[in-house]
Amino acid sequence: MNHERKEPTTLFAVVSFLVIIAVLIIMINMGCNTTLSVFSGVIVSVITTRLLNIPWNEVERNIIKTAAECMPTFLMTI
């Protein structure tokens, strides 16, 4: 099995970005909590990173860093 990290094409990056934005818009329009909407976007992002063979420890490190930076915003929406 090939575990080499892949570089995304421009099309892949644009489509991934649009899918994440679409998920956020759909979740918000359904009346979901902002935190749940963002979490759904993260799920799509994680799937994208798996398609690119990015190591899980790198993904996890970035999720933790981003969550820590966004925590004040999440707390303000409660």
Side-chain angles (χ1 to χ4, degrees), residues 9-76:
T9 63
T10 302
L11 179 62
F12 183 86
V14 169
V15 169
S16 299
F17 178 74
L18 292 176
V19 168
I20 293 167
I21 297 300
V23 166
L24 291 173
I25 290 171
I26 290 167
M27 296 290 289
I28 290 169
N29 284 334
M30 289 174 49
C32 293
N33 184 315
T34 305
T35 305
L36 183 59
S37 300
V38 171
F39 182 72
S40 299
V42 169
I43 297 295
V44 174
S45 298
V46 168
I47 292 168
T48 301
T49 61
R50 299 308 303 153
L51 292 172
L52 295 172
N53 291 330
I54 296 173
W56 177 249
N57 62 352
E58 186 177 335
V59 173
E60 185 178 38
R61 188 173 48 247
N62 284 312
I63 289 172
I64 292 168
K65 178 183 170 225
T66 302
E69 291 172 354
C70 294
M71 193 57 64
T73 304
F74 291 154
L75 294 175
M76 288 174 23

